Amino acid sequence: MNRPSLMLSRGVARVTEAALGPYQSAVVRIGFAGTWLLFLLREFPHRQELYGPSGPWGWNLARQLTADNHAFTALLWSDGQLWFECFYTLAVLASAALLLGWRTRTASVLFMVGVLSLQNRSVFVGDGGDNVLHLMALYLVFTRCGQVWSLDARRAAQEEAARARGERVPADRVGPVLWAVLGAALGTVTLTGRFDNGWVVPALLWTVWAGLGLWWAVGRRAAWEQPRILLDVVANILHNGALVVIMAEACLIYATAGWYKIQGSRWQDGTAVYYPLHLDYFSPWPALADLMSSSGTIMMIVAYGTVMVQIAFPFTLLNRRAKNILLVLMMTEHAVIAVVLGLPFFSLAMITADAVFLPTSFLRRLGDLAARARGRLARRAGRTVPGPRSPEEGAADRVGFTA
């Protein structure tokens, strides 16, 4: 076999044999689910004004807009107050489940439905972070983001340990029941004509539901080894492809933002950062904003540095050291934006998007530190907890009906 063919075969094997970036995908899952959960809890007292049927952007106005842009939102299935309250609660629970990695596949789908429904209900609410979250919610559906740092992975580790001891592992009951309930809900919505505003999201929901059922059926037949391997390969390809898209999306965001900034006269003369610091809407700490903007040299360095970092980042991915330095700079910049400009959810979303490029060794060390801290807390409480689980011990996605 010649060298190009050998490299191609190795590349195909790498893409199909395993779901790459388990720690990076877990960080993306935890980051975006946590960001959305914090936003929903923060805005819970204001949920009626933001997304309610009698809010400023009324139900009829939202209905007219979605009829034109064909955006999906389950909040327009009914204008009743009870439906809105139940759906908002469902969105909170789905975010919490995805954050913890409980039934990750199903939670990712419900998370996507919650994000799309609430954001498309009131399109004038939010900022650039909402756009990032909107896209990432779609991509997460295709990832196997529960391989590590999840309740699914913990349950899988416990089942494998029980099998190693020769114990009988009881069949999973929660997964099939959850699948049946969601299938009944999806069928009811389809038969009643609620999916009248486009076919993409309904097709995706039905495909995922059918795929989960097929996965469970094949997993119950010990003799169906080849179909199980085929499904595992398909899942790995989808995961790896989605992870590449997430990385490409982050690069595209920074590249386009940087090139558009270059064309602005305020960025060219180095004064662009000064003006947002003196807008009441973006000044939760006026004294801090005044202190930062007191030096024209600092404002110019921040403006030029922001443009250079955003434009250079996509070109540094081939150099690990340069990439890591720029990651630190960008995360620091977003942390400063969260505090100084009062945009915490935008900053959390962008930091999470940046985290997909973090080195695996750093993430594993971070996970080990968290596991040791959790172990110390458990020992103080007088109980023991299982140790951290690595993907080499077996992914949770391969055990039963984990989603």
Side-chain angles (χ1 to χ4, degrees), residues 44-59:
F44 186 81
H46 314 290
R47 64 191 183 283
Q48 297 293 340
E49 292 82 0
L50 294 177
Y51 307 112
S54 57
W57 184 249
W59 191 86

Side-chain angles (χ1 to χ4, degrees), residues 138-402:
L138 289 167
Y139 302 151
L140 277 174
V141 174
F142 299 95
T143 64
R144 306 178 78 167
C145 53
Q147 298 179 92
V148 296
W149 299 344
S150 67
L151 294 180
D152 286 345
R154 181 180 180 182
R155 184 175 67 252
Q158 294 172 344
E159 291 177 356
E160 287 187 5
R163 290 191 184 94
R165 294 191 300 266
E167 300 175 3
R168 179 179 178 274
V169 178
D172 180 29
R173 303 298 182 188
V174 177
V177 171
L178 186 61
W179 179 81
V181 170
L182 294 178
L186 192 56
T188 301
V189 170
T190 302
L191 293 176
T192 54
R194 302 295 183 182
F195 289 134
D196 58 349
N197 206 27
W199 61 270
V200 176
V201 173
L204 177 60
L205 295 177
W206 275 113
T207 301
V208 173
W209 182 81
L212 291 177
L214 180 61
W215 190 284
W216 176 76
V218 170
R220 286 177 57 87
R221 301 292 189 272
W224 290 6
E225 182 178 0
Q226 294 301 321
R228 190 161 54 248
I229 293 175
L230 176 61
L231 290 178
D232 196 52
V233 168
V234 172
N236 289 337
I237 293 174
L238 290 175
H239 167 90
N240 296 330
L243 201 60
V244 170
V245 171
I246 291 174
M247 293 179 176
E249 188 72 42
C251 291
L252 185 62
I253 290 172
Y254 284 117
T256 54
W259 285 109
Y260 273 111
K261 286 182 174 67
I262 279 182
Q263 302 174 45
S265 59
R266 294 293 176 261
W267 289 98
Q268 292 174 7
D269 60 26
T271 62
V273 180
Y274 174 86
Y275 297 101
L277 293 175
H278 292 81
L279 295 175
D280 293 337
Y281 184 77
F282 294 112
S283 297
W285 315 101
L288 181 59
D290 291 338
L291 178 63
M292 292 187 61
S293 60
S294 60
S295 172
T297 302
I298 294 178
M299 291 291 95
M300 183 180 65
I301 292 175
V302 172
Y304 286 173
T306 298
V307 174
M308 288 188 290
V309 167
Q310 289 183 345
I311 293 177
F313 178 72
F315 300 100
T316 64
L317 296 182
L318 299 179
N319 188 300
R320 180 177 301 180
R321 181 173 299 179
K323 182 257 299 182
N324 292 339
I325 292 174
L326 289 190
L327 275 179
V328 173
L329 292 176
M330 290 190 300
M331 289 182 173
T332 303
E333 178 187 9
H334 289 304
V336 172
I337 289 174
V339 176
V340 178
L341 297 182
L343 296 172
F345 302 111
F346 164 78
S347 297
L348 280 175
M350 293 308 302
I351 289 174
T352 302
D354 296 339
V356 74
F357 298 102
L358 288 174
T360 300
S361 57
F362 170 78
L363 293 176
R364 295 189 67 168
R365 286 196 297 270
L366 190 64
D368 292 340
L369 289 174
R372 285 196 291 269
R374 182 167 61 98
R376 285 194 293 269
L377 292 175
R379 284 192 296 271
R380 291 178 181 177
R383 60 187 179 88
T384 59
V385 295
R389 176 170 169 77
S390 66
E392 290 78 9
E393 296 172 348
D397 288 331
R398 306 188 186 195
V399 180
F401 200 88
T402 60

